[in-house]
Amino acid sequence: MTEAALASAPASTSTSPTARRLWTRSRGIVLAFVVLLAAALVIAAVRSDARHGLLDPRSADPSGSRAVAELLAEQGVSTRVVTTLDRARASAGSDTTLLIAAPDLLTERQQTLLRTATERSDGRTVLISPGPPSVGTLVPGVTADPAVSFDSTLSPDCALPAARRAGSADTGGIRYTTGDPGTDACYPSEGLPTLLRVPAPSGGGDTVVLGAPDILYNDHLDEQGNASLALQLLGSRAHLVWYLPSLSDDSATDTGTQSFLDLLPSGWLWGTLQLFIAAVLAALWRARRMGPLVPERLPVAIRASETTEGRARLYRKVNARDRAAAALRSTTRTRLAPLVGVSPAQAHAPEALLPALSARLDGDGQALLPLLFGPPPRDDAALVSLSDQLDALEREVRIS
């Protein structure tokens, strides 16, 4: 009956950290984070009017292209920035050079629409570092080599007048291959060109494929023949439209007739199957093995009284007098049943246990009904009293 006695004992002091302790420990870190956030907001507000885009003709940063735009303006070439596909398509014309700063960011549908708008415009299209995701669609017949150039500065080695006048330039980057004999292939690296001028199938238009953007950067424009090559490639028409693809463009989410499954990568099915197989193998590895129980020596022997005390403290902490009383009554009934000749299966049935106790004690068994099967005690004192009565009943049965 130690469990019931200890269930009414005072609970031990909790060692769990309180909210006040947690705030005291972490307030320094929170304050530092707030200061850094406020500083970042102030800096962003002060510099909100500056242009810091990569290959942005409005940006004066080292990776911007404001310098080449100003040089073109001195030659009478106007530069206009667009960020949507519709404006880029509408600007295609015989007197316009359309520069696409990041072709690989365009979806396949955007690339197809852009190619349709430029192939018969008689203008020039300049693609900056198009890779495998875009070059085949924007320039049919041209493929990007998977190995890039290790050299940054390359010699023209071609008959293109703009390249011959510029001389060496920083075009080393993606290398290309093409089977069109009318294409000007310049600035080769290990036999593959890094700059192509592909004439249109009809008319006077063409497409320039540039393997690296270095000649357009502000900090590289004054090196080698970068400025000369950039001005000649971009200044052949009176107007320059600089297309900077944006994720906010509505056409980026227009899939046309494609379904959701068409937009998934080609290997998604096999990838999903592999993940499923891996999950099954992991489940089999970590699953419970079926078989006979294996006895194991515990590293520390725990006394039964300590377990009882711990359980009693838990009961008292949550005021579970009903569960404590039910445990006491159930244990008492289990121990009394064999003493009075009742099977363990009938130990918790009042119609079987109470008559046997009445015959053993020569009394009225129904008087024991509230003690063994009664309601939960109202308070801790009643629980202690119940424990004492059950203990006295068991002693009386044993000595009778």
Side-chain angles (χ1 to χ4, degrees):
M1 303 305 167
T2 308
E3 181 179 1
L6 289 175
S8 61
S12 59
T13 303
S14 174
T15 59
S16 302
T18 61
R20 184 174 182 179
R21 290 182 181 176
L22 292 176
W23 165 247
T24 303
R25 295 175 184 175
S26 60
R27 62 185 177 184
I29 299 176
V30 174
L31 180 61
F33 176 76
V34 172
V35 172
L36 289 176
L37 181 60
L41 292 176
V42 171
I43 294 174
V46 172
R47 304 183 64 183
S48 60
D49 58 341
R51 304 288 185 180
H52 302 284
L54 181 68
L55 284 178
D56 193 327
R58 301 163 296 182
S59 173
D61 287 352
S63 59
S65 302
R66 182 175 178 179
V68 68
E70 292 182 351
L71 291 177
L72 288 170
E74 293 177 1
Q75 297 182 359
V77 178
S78 64
T79 301
R80 182 165 61 97
V81 178
V82 298
T83 57
T84 63
L85 178 66
D86 292 339
R87 291 186 178 182
R89 294 174 59 197
S91 64
S94 59
D95 61 343
T96 301
T97 297
L98 176 61
L99 183 146
I100 305 174
D104 290 348
L105 295 181
L106 301 175
T107 64
E108 185 175 357
R109 176 173 172 79
Q110 287 179 309
Q111 296 167 14
T112 302
L113 294 175
L114 195 59
R115 173 64 182 172
T116 303
T118 59
E119 63 181 353
R120 297 182 180 178
S121 65
D122 290 338
R124 168 168 288 183
T125 304
V126 179
L127 306 177
I128 307 300
S129 302
S134 62
V135 67
T137 304
L138 293 173
V139 195
V142 176
T143 58
D145 192 80
V148 299
S149 171
F150 289 103
D151 299 321
S152 175
T153 304
L154 301 172
S155 300
D157 293 337
C158 68
L160 183 65
R164 294 178 65 87
R165 285 191 292 265
S168 298
D170 293 329
T171 60
I174 301 177
R175 305 183 305 166
Y176 301 97
T177 58
T178 179
D180 188 352
T183 299
D184 292 314
C186 303
Y187 298 97
S189 173
E190 297 183 2
L192 295 180
T194 58
L195 186 149
L196 298 176
R197 190 195 73 87
V198 183
S202 61
D206 59 10
T207 300
V208 175
V209 181
L210 187 61
D214 298 44
I215 66 171
L216 302 178
Y217 288 154
N218 292 329
D219 60 343
H220 290 169
L221 192 62
D222 60 345
E223 300 174 358
Q224 312 299 331
N226 294 346
S228 175
L229 182 61
L231 293 178
Q232 293 180 83
L233 294 179
L234 303 182
S236 62
R237 269 74 173 174
H239 305 288
L240 171 62
V241 175
W242 203 293
Y243 178 29
L244 297 173
S246 172
L247 295 178
S248 60
D249 188 359
D250 293 338
S251 64
T253 58
D254 184 9
T255 61
T257 58
Q258 292 179 311
S259 65
F260 174 75
L261 295 179
D262 295 331
L263 298 176
L264 293 176
S266 58
W268 72 271
L269 179 60
W270 292 110
T272 305
L273 180 60
Q274 291 175 8
L275 290 176
F276 176 75
I277 294 175
V280 172
L281 293 177
L284 293 176
W285 169 50
R286 299 295 296 176
R288 186 186 300 274
R289 271 39 171 198
M290 299 301 178
L293 296 177
V294 178
E296 181 180 359
R297 292 175 58 88
L298 295 176
V300 178
I302 302 177
R303 294 181 300 173
S305 60
E306 294 182 6
T307 304
T308 304
E309 292 173 3
R311 189 174 181 182
R313 290 193 184 97
L314 291 176
Y315 280 159
R316 188 185 188 282
K317 186 176 182 179
V318 297
N319 293 324
R321 286 186 293 270
D322 52 345
R323 294 192 177 185
L328 291 173
R329 285 168 168 156
S330 176
T331 303
T332 301
R333 292 194 300 264
T334 302
R335 289 200 293 258
L336 290 176
L339 297 178
V340 295
V342 176
S343 65
Q346 298 292 324
H348 307 289
E351 63 276 8
L353 182 62
L354 294 180
L357 286 174
S358 178
R360 182 69 174 265
L361 298 177
D362 296 332
D364 185 7
Q366 294 300 320
L368 300 176
L369 180 63
L371 180 61
L372 294 175
F373 299 94
R378 297 184 304 273
D379 50 27
D380 292 347
L383 178 63
V384 174
S385 176
L386 174 64
S387 173
D388 293 339
Q389 295 177 29
L390 292 174
D391 193 16
L393 175 62
E394 184 175 349
R395 286 198 303 269
E396 183 179 358
V397 172
R398 289 183 180 277
I399 64 177
S400 62

